[in-house]
Amino acid sequence: MKTIHKILVPNRGEIAIRIFRACHEMGIRTVAVYSKEDVLSLHRSRADEAYLVGKGKKPVDAYLDIEDIIRICKEHDVDAIHPGYGFLSENAQLARRCEEEGIIFIGPKVEHLQMFGDKVNARIQAEKAEIPMIPGTNAAVKDFAEVKAFAERVGLPVMIKAINGGGGRGMRRVDRMEDLKESYEEARSEAKRAFGDEDVYIEKCILNPKHIEVQIMGDEHGNVIHLNERDCSIQRRHQKVLEESPCAAISPELRKKMGETAIRAAKAVGYENAGTIEFLLDKDKNFYFMEMNTRIQVEHPVTEMVTGLDLIKEQIKIAAGERLSMTQDDIHLTGHAIECRINAENPAKNFMPCPGKITNVHVPGGNGVRIDTHIYNDYQVPANYDSMLLKLIVHGEDRETAIAKMRSALGELVIEGIETNLDFQYEILSHEAYQKGDTDTHFIPTYFPQYCKE
């Protein structure tokens, strides 16, 4: 067992505040870091200590300055680092430096960050564990001839994806052979810009699937459990917009099978801490491994709402060497939860980011309503970071109740001074197809084509 007295979070915004809150409840001191642009950010004041990081560097680069983060840890007796999501959350170099300096990294082992950070290697590991796979290449494609040969062999559509990365960058769907070469070159170019690596692989495209992810937790004693699934099908350009748990389209039998499959994948490599196995579910209820995320996710609150667990606290306990505090038999789904991501963006202008000053904020409340945010009256939303302002999460006794509660909460939420996607979220929740559970990854282009301009 390891003792954790002080945790540093090399992150910003709502996730930093979320982690600080869990630490405070556990009696653990907290350390924030902030860029010079974030001197007035709320996360700075929510920690016990706060220090400028990456002095002289660009806004995002400041939070990626591993050596300066390690310096702050050593100078201020930090025991552990929790990276949150984004920034350095899946960075093997940070985890390795923590290991070298005797700092606890609250996340998976270095080897697992490397293993699943490479999407092709992740496919190989899943295949070894006999997880259902989408037909694809288990190595980077060497040239366009190989791409063309694969597309001719399995048929269109196909997906070209960056080996290193995520968030839809370096990814292209190809429906016509005449577009294949251009899409291949665009994917490589975007991957190079975003991740510094132009390598891509190719796989068969599952048409209009549901995007289902299974939350898992593993400890260093070999115990692994799953916390059931989240339906993350509603996306725009491969970016999640709204998430919910459980998935309305999954039977108890399929839920059990997907959960057991996720556990098998994690146990096959000795995985520790929080992770998410992402699957695509086709119209015939066949599911296929897509990737594994080796971190806590933006949408983790919906899992917390339906299980009653605090996933951040569980991560900290696991990192300290404790055994999981529950078994699979202790995990029960209660009710239904939905999360809406409220962003500073204008849907009517192709979701153009809308930084600026927030002049007034009013957040909803009531039974089963949760707000995770870092904004406040007169907060200046910077142009340098992700546009998410807050996460609105609701919990109801069933899906119908949760939808009604979310619509009510969205109606109460007020953010003035800048444009947001609040009304767009309300449109989604009010659509007949959504209310029937008729959702897939093509939901927004199908029902809201006016918001899909290139």
Side-chain angles (χ1 to χ4, degrees), residues 33-80:
V33 293
Y34 60 93
S35 66
K36 65 180 185 299
E37 290 79 10
D38 269 341
V39 67
L40 297 178
S41 184
L42 191 61
H43 81 277
R44 179 186 176 189
S45 64
R46 289 295 182 266
D48 296 306
E49 305 170 34
Y51 304 101
L52 180 68
V53 69
K55 185 177 180 180
K57 294 197 171 184
K58 294 178 180 179
V60 171
D61 292 343
Y63 288 102
L64 300 177
D65 191 336
I66 293 175
E67 290 310 313
D68 206 31
I69 290 166
I70 295 296
R71 174 190 64 79
I72 293 169
C73 288
K74 293 169 70 176
E75 289 181 0
H76 300 282
D77 300 318
V78 169
D79 303 303

Side-chain angles (χ1 to χ4, degrees), residues 140-412:
V141 291
K142 301 181 184 68
D143 50 35
F144 175 68
E146 187 175 351
V147 173
K148 187 171 183 288
F150 178 89
E152 290 174 340
R153 185 172 71 254
V154 305
L156 296 175
V158 295
M159 295 292 292
I160 301 171
K161 297 182 177 181
I163 281 184
N164 294 294
R169 290 174 294 180
M171 182 185 297
R172 293 292 185 277
R173 171 176 162 169
V174 185
D175 296 280
R176 305 186 311 165
M177 288 299 292
E178 53 263 43
D179 298 331
L180 190 62
K181 192 172 195 310
E182 182 180 0
S183 297
Y184 166 64
E185 292 173 347
E186 287 179 348
R188 292 179 70 212
S189 177
E190 187 175 54
K192 178 69 173 178
R193 291 194 307 271
F195 312 116
D197 184 349
E198 66 181 8
D199 283 349
V200 296
Y201 68 103
I202 184 170
E203 64 184 22
K204 177 68 177 174
C205 179
I206 306 299
L207 290 173
N208 300 341
K210 281 187 173 291
H211 181 130
I212 309 297
E213 58 186 35
V214 178
Q215 177 74 60
I216 60 104
M217 284 279 183
D219 63 27
E220 65 181 48
H221 308 284
N223 303 303
V224 181
I225 61 170
H226 72 82
L227 305 179
N228 295 298
E229 84 287 350
R230 298 184 287 256
D231 186 342
C232 305
S233 299
I234 297 183
Q235 302 177 9
R236 178 184 167 274
R237 293 185 176 177
H238 308 292
Q239 296 284 344
K240 297 167 188 174
V241 174
L242 177 155
E243 304 95 357
E244 58 185 291
S245 182
C247 174
I250 289 182
S251 66
E253 294 75 22
L254 182 55
R255 175 172 297 113
K256 184 173 185 290
K257 185 176 181 180
M258 293 181 79
E260 290 173 347
T261 300
I263 288 176
R264 187 165 73 250
K267 281 193 170 184
V269 296
Y271 190 84
E272 295 176 17
N273 216 274
T276 302
I277 310 288
E278 302 204 351
F279 297 107
L280 293 181
L281 181 71
D282 69 17
K283 58 182 177 61
D284 298 317
K285 307 301 182 186
N286 300 307
F287 63 92
Y288 305 91
F289 174 84
M290 184 170 65
E291 64 182 16
M292 182 171 185
N293 289 317
T294 51
R295 53 175 166 77
I296 199 70
Q297 302 221 179
V298 176
E299 58 271 20
H300 77 273
V302 294
T303 295
E304 294 183 326
M305 296 291 257
V306 295
T307 62
L309 298 174
D310 187 315
L311 301 193
I312 303 298
K313 289 182 181 178
E314 291 301 319
Q315 283 191 286
I316 295 169
K317 291 175 184 176
I318 291 168
E322 294 186 29
R323 292 179 178 274
L324 285 170
S325 59
M326 76 294 292
T327 67
Q328 194 63 56
D329 291 340
D330 297 322
I331 304 302
H332 303 287
L333 283 172
T334 303
H336 197 96
I338 303 171
E339 173 181 290
C340 285
R341 302 186 187 194
I342 306 302
N343 300 330
E345 60 189 16
N346 188 340
K349 294 184 178 180
N350 202 25
F351 294 85
M352 179 178 69
C354 295
K357 185 177 181 179
I358 295 176
T359 56
N360 182 44
V361 179
H362 173 77
V363 297
N367 184 34
V369 177
R370 168 177 167 180
I371 301 283
D372 283 15
T373 189
H374 62 286
I375 65 173
Y376 53 86
N377 286 341
D378 297 329
Y379 174 62
Q380 186 74 30
V381 179
N384 314 105
Y385 305 107
D386 183 84
S387 64
M388 189 168 69
L389 301 173
L390 62 81
K391 301 185 310 200
L392 174 58
I393 310 103
V394 302
H395 181 260
E397 61 184 17
D398 52 35
R399 189 171 188 267
E400 183 179 359
T401 303
I403 291 173
K405 187 172 290 189
M406 179 60 85
R407 292 178 66 197
S408 176
L410 286 168
E412 289 183 41

Side-chain angles (χ1 to χ4, degrees), residues 23-39:
C23 292
H24 294 154
E25 292 174 13
M26 297 175 74
I28 298 172
R29 286 187 62 82
T30 54
V31 178
V33 293
Y34 60 93
S35 66
K36 65 180 185 299
E37 290 79 10
D38 269 341
V39 67

